[in-house]
Amino acid sequence: MVVKRAEPRSHWLLLLLGAFSLAAMLLLDGFARGVVGEAPRTDPPPRPPAPAEVTSGGPVVSLDGDRPRSLRMPTRTIALTFDDGPDPRWTPKLLDLLRRHNARATFFATGTHIAQHPELTRRILREGHEIGSHTYTHIDMATAPAWRNRLELDLTQRALAGTAGVHTRLLRMPYSSRPDGLTDPEWRAARQAGTAGYVVVLTDRDTEDWARPGAEKIVERSLAAERRGEGAIVMLHDSGGDRTPTVAAVEQVLRRLSPQGYRFTTVTEALRLPRAEASASLTDRMIGKTLVAAQRTGGRLTRWLQIAFVLVGVLCALRLVVLLVCAHVHMRRVRRRRRVFPATMPPVSVVVPAYNEEAGIAATVRSLLDNDYPGPVEVVVVDDGSSDRTAEIVESLALPGVRLVRKPNGGKPSALNAGIAAARAEILVLVDGDTVFQRDTLRNLVFPLRDPEVGAVSGNAKVANRRGVLGRWQHIEYVIGFNLDRRMFDVFRCMPTIPGAIGAFRRRALVSVGGVHDDTLAEDTDLTMALGRAGWRVVYEENALAWTEAPASLRQLWRQRYRWCYGTVQAMWKHRGAVLERGRAGRYGRRSLTYLTVFQVILPLLAPAVDLFALYGVVFMDPTAPALMWLAFTAVQVAAGGYALWLDGERIGPLWTLPLQQIVYRQLLYLVVIQSLVTAMLGVRLRWQVIRRTGTFSDVPGTPSELPAR
């Protein structure tokens, strides 16, 4: 209730930086997941062939001069080439096999696999083999735009520099094969690469092992010109699926041709070209290391988010089941008890702390006096140094049973304590200055205090200004979220919060915990937790209705929830010792604080990342699963919302806004939690913030017929 506020600016920078980093890593991982391995093109359109001098030439094409030069392998010289790797399962098997036969080969690796398996990349080079580029994500260079091809080749070079400190001069375009099958679009892509300094490597013998024809067929295609003793570049694959036939076929080829004097070596060595690898600059190495680290982190993040996605879904489902079961139990328990109100009930003092509440204070006071409570009722309005006409309006009402206490501005806890000290009754009802009671609210609210174990009662707060989408969203949240939660808390005897809008207390219970404290921004949560730790039972009374004015704008909503969340975190930290206490206090602490930690701290922290991952799944993975999960979750939420509205006697019409609430309003509240935690970690103390009232009750005297229909 203090107007000034200290709000850190650096937390916004941290939030934006975190969101940008998370999105960037997921985008990089999604881009890297474009690696699909060798596969046939789907119904390729007719394309004209490349120039005859290329299609009739050798499989190695150098484009460093005015005219392309084609090179062929020398006789009895085989260059085994492996595409799509490195792969953590199959590449080591092939490397072991080549080492046993003292053979060397050329590996055309994808940049994303190079980044994922840097140790295999280094081993390939360490054992005398060479590496060529196969683009970063196995893109079809013939159909991709020129800028995408440049990006793919550049990223692959960065990955090589980051993992092995080298660049490569060799390129095999994905989906390419023999020179006589080269189309004009492929030739244009090859020329583009040639101008960048690449030597394009095609093949003499395409084994098509990606189609898994079996080891015998792979051997047959590899040895097509065995009798003539020709040299050849043989295309194979070390990634993209089960390569057992490939490994077996390579061993047969090595055993069969080595005794005949065939030499198995790299492409550049066979053709006496400069070595494929060249040392990368320090700058390129540092950039490459950053790229590799980002991609590997993105991959790990994706795996963790997959786990989190499932875990959050399971926890939310379990929570919903528990809430509905407890709501049913609470309903049956309450309705099974016969409610017989005595002819007289103990005196009640209603304390109303007010700071700049001129818009609705008159309606609040009138509704408190217009009651059917069978006992004396006094209303104590504490004007906490208001700068508007709050005090004058209360005085002008001149209503019997209403007392006005003026004090300098000191905050809501100070105002509450002043009102409690001035009140005369043993039963105290604490009410916000923007709240309207129904005629039977006081009677229903105080009735549970007949049980001597009950130290406080939480009422049922309702949103009065529920017109418009924002109002409906808050109305749904109050009914589905807050009130379903309170039914569960009542069943498990672990109520963490009595809302400031409506709560009844024994004076003895308040005295036992030292009154209302001002060391948190959620004085209602702090007070309720203190009562629970002191052994008092706190119950929920669904029939004690209070109509409150909710924020009418997103800015006001953000400020309110920011304070609520920050204060709740403060209260949880203040009462963290309850988890280790014994008896009732320990049971209360373990139940209440564990629930709040999981569902009001941890899950909101994970939720934005999980939502982002769901979007990632729709874009980069099979969209069916995340879409179905979201639809199922929303359907269950709608069903649960309908049940909650029915329990509260509300109409189900506002439920049509619930699906939109899941993708707009819910994310807003998650960001509030994140901002609150960042503020707390930065050690900045947030001050009270005033919510500007719009005067929802300014013309409402408080009769039930004039309140929102249920």
Side-chain angles (χ1 to χ4, degrees):
M1 299 187 41
V2 175
V3 178
K4 295 180 181 180
R5 74 189 241 236
E7 189 172 307
R9 301 299 178 190
S10 56
H11 59 224
W12 283 110
L13 179 61
L14 290 175
L15 289 174
L16 291 174
L17 182 61
F20 175 79
S21 300
L22 177 63
M25 285 187 290
L26 285 176
L27 285 173
L28 180 59
D29 185 68
F31 177 73
R33 284 177 180 269
V35 178
V36 296
E38 192 69 46
R41 296 170 182 166
T42 304
D43 298 323
R47 294 168 175 171
E53 57 188 336
V54 176
T55 57
S56 61
V60 179
V61 183
S62 176
L63 300 163
D64 56 355
D66 295 335
R67 297 179 62 84
R69 292 185 301 121
S70 294
L71 304 175
R72 295 185 183 274
M73 295 293 288
T75 58
R76 295 187 180 276
T77 302
I78 301 293
L80 297 174
T81 62
F82 299 95
D83 296 359
D84 296 350
D87 181 273
R89 180 178 180 185
W90 303 109
T91 304
K93 291 180 181 294
L94 288 166
L95 290 173
D96 292 342
L97 177 59
L98 293 169
R99 184 171 54 189
R100 288 197 302 269
H101 290 271
N102 196 28
R104 284 180 293 174
T106 301
F107 290 81
F108 289 99
T110 57
T112 181
H113 284 161
I114 291 171
Q116 288 172 354
H117 311 294
E119 69 290 343
L120 284 178
T121 303
R122 291 189 287 267
R123 180 184 171 185
I124 289 171
L125 295 174
R126 188 172 59 248
E127 296 185 1
H129 309 287
E130 69 182 359
I131 288 183
S133 174
H134 202 46
T135 73
Y136 199 77
T137 65
H138 203 278
I139 192 174
D140 185 354
M141 296 180 66
T143 60
W147 68 265
R148 174 66 185 275
N149 288 338
R150 287 193 296 269
L151 176 64
E152 292 273 336
L153 297 178
D154 181 67
L155 288 176
T156 304
Q157 297 286 22
R158 303 289 187 189
L160 270 174
T163 57
V166 299
H167 290 317
T168 182
R169 298 184 177 93
L170 297 184
L171 168 66
R172 172 169 284 163
M173 299 186 301
Y175 305 103
S176 65
S177 182
R178 294 161 49 92
D180 56 8
L182 201 65
T183 64
D184 187 60
E186 289 173 328
W187 171 241
R188 287 199 300 268
R191 285 187 61 86
Q192 178 190 352
T195 59
Y198 287 93
V199 174
V200 177
V201 180
L202 302 171
T203 186
D204 292 300
R205 301 171 192 168
D206 186 354
T207 63
E208 297 186 358
D209 61 333
W210 51 265
R212 298 176 181 82
E216 292 183 3
K217 197 68 175 177
I218 295 172
V219 171
E220 177 185 333
R221 292 168 179 169
S222 301
L223 303 178
E226 176 187 6
R227 294 180 181 177
R228 298 192 297 271
E230 295 177 357
I233 294 178
V234 180
M235 181 188 289
L236 300 148
H237 295 80
D238 62 334
S239 183
D242 185 2
R243 296 302 176 209
T244 301
T246 299
V247 175
V250 170
E251 183 159 22
Q252 291 184 44
V253 170
L254 290 171
R255 287 181 175 178
R256 185 163 171 176
L257 295 185
S258 293
Q260 300 180 31
Y262 279 84
R263 184 166 61 112
F264 293 89
T265 187
T266 63
V267 171
T268 58
E269 184 177 349
L271 297 174
R272 297 182 181 180
L273 297 173
R275 184 168 175 80
E277 298 83 24
S279 180
S281 67
L282 179 60
T283 301
D284 285 346
R285 294 185 188 194
M286 296 305 296
I287 295 174
K289 288 182 182 296
T290 303
L291 172 65
V292 170
Q295 184 186 313
R296 299 189 75 183
T297 302
R300 295 190 190 100
L301 179 65
T302 301
R303 290 191 292 273
W304 280 107
L305 286 178
Q306 286 176 324
I307 296 173
F309 188 74
V310 175
L311 181 61
V312 168
V314 171
L315 285 175
C316 289
L318 288 176
R319 173 179 178 267
L320 193 57
V321 170
V322 172
L323 284 176
L324 294 177
V325 170
C326 288
H328 183 71
V329 170
H330 185 268
M331 177 196 69
R332 291 176 60 87
R333 181 183 297 174
V334 170
R335 295 182 181 180
R336 190 167 51 240
R337 293 196 298 260
R338 289 190 62 189
R339 178 160 300 201
V340 179
F341 290 97
T344 60
M345 294 180 71
V348 170
S349 293
V350 183
V351 177
V352 185
Y355 176 79
N356 289 351
E357 297 284 2
E358 66 177 8
I361 191 65
T364 297
V365 173
R366 288 193 185 103
S367 74
L368 294 173
L369 293 176
D370 183 21
N371 63 75
D372 61 2
Y373 185 76
V377 176
E378 70 164 348
V379 177
V380 180
V381 179
V382 182
D383 178 55
D384 191 42
S386 297
S387 59
D388 64 0
R389 298 180 57 254
T390 298
E392 287 77 1
I393 291 174
V394 174
E395 286 183 331
S396 67
L397 293 176
L399 294 173
V402 177
R403 287 192 291 142
L404 176 66
V405 176
R406 295 174 181 262
K407 63 179 291 294
N409 180 254
K412 187 177 179 182
S414 172
L416 285 170
N417 286 327
I420 291 169
R424 302 187 180 98
E426 170 65 20
I427 303 300
L428 301 167
V429 174
L430 308 185
V431 181
D432 283 343
D434 62 339
T435 302
V436 166
F437 276 19
Q438 296 195 155
R439 295 197 74 248
D440 61 350
T441 297
L442 274 178
R443 179 163 50 93
N444 285 310
L445 185 65
V446 174
F447 184 74
L449 289 171
R450 74 194 190 284
D451 184 344
E453 288 189 359
V454 176
V457 182
S458 169
N460 188 350
K462 298 281 189 180
V463 173
N465 52 327
R466 58 182 67 171
R467 293 180 180 178
V469 174
L470 186 60
R472 288 186 176 94
W473 282 345
Q474 293 179 84
H475 166 51
I476 291 173
E477 182 189 15
Y478 270 60
V479 174
I480 299 177
F482 299 160
N483 291 329
L484 273 186
D485 278 353
R486 289 192 178 101
R487 293 175 191 272
M488 180 192 68
F489 292 139
D490 192 343
V491 171
F492 288 115
R493 299 194 175 190
C494 60
M495 189 78 66
T497 305
I498 296 175
I502 176 170
F505 302 83
R506 292 186 192 277
R507 182 184 293 273
R508 186 158 47 94
L510 291 177
V511 171
S512 70
V513 298
V516 184
H517 295 263
D518 63 356
D519 50 353
T520 73
L521 290 182
E523 88 293 331
D524 46 5
T525 300
D526 179 24
L527 175 60
T528 310
M529 288 183 175
L531 292 171
R533 293 183 69 181
W536 291 100
R537 184 181 172 196
V538 181
V539 301
Y540 171 63
E541 177 50 60
E542 62 180 23
N543 295 307
L545 302 182
W547 302 88
T548 186
E549 181 179 342
S553 69
L554 285 175
R555 178 177 175 82
Q556 294 293 322
L557 176 66
W558 182 280
R559 294 178 63 185
Q560 181 197 65
R561 299 311 171 87
Y562 187 19
R563 177 178 63 81
W564 283 7
C565 183
Y566 187 88
T568 298
V569 171
Q570 287 179 309
M572 291 170 62
W573 182 254
K574 176 180 178 179
H575 295 282
R576 65 190 183 279
V579 176
L580 302 178
E581 293 175 357
R582 296 182 178 181
R584 289 185 179 181
R587 288 193 296 272
Y588 171 85
R590 285 184 287 276
R591 293 172 184 175
S592 178
L593 293 178
T594 300
Y595 181 87
L596 293 178
T597 300
V598 173
F599 292 103
Q600 293 195 22
V601 177
I602 295 178
L603 286 191
L605 283 177
L606 290 176
V610 171
D611 289 344
L612 188 60
F613 176 73
L615 181 62
Y616 167 92
V618 171
V619 175
F620 294 109
M621 302 166 66
D622 182 2
T624 305
L628 287 178
M629 286 191 67
W630 186 85
L631 288 174
F633 178 77
T634 303
V636 171
Q637 286 284 96
V638 170
Y643 181 65
L645 290 168
W646 174 78
L647 282 178
D648 263 23
E650 297 277 2
R651 294 182 296 188
I652 65 172
L655 277 180
W656 71 266
T657 64
L658 190 103
L660 187 60
Q661 183 195 51
Q662 299 301 306
I663 59 176
V664 178
Y665 185 79
R666 186 167 57 94
Q667 280 70 21
L668 174 69
L669 299 185
Y670 292 158
L671 291 177
V672 168
V673 174
I674 295 172
Q675 185 189 13
S676 300
L677 291 174
V678 171
T679 303
M681 288 187 293
L682 291 175
V684 179
R685 180 174 175 80
L686 187 69
R687 296 184 180 274
W688 277 92
Q689 302 171 25
V690 179
I691 303 300
R692 185 174 62 85
R693 305 301 178 190
T694 59
T696 298
F697 301 121
S698 57
D699 298 321
V700 178
T703 58
S705 61
E706 294 171 309
L707 293 171
R710 296 176 63 198

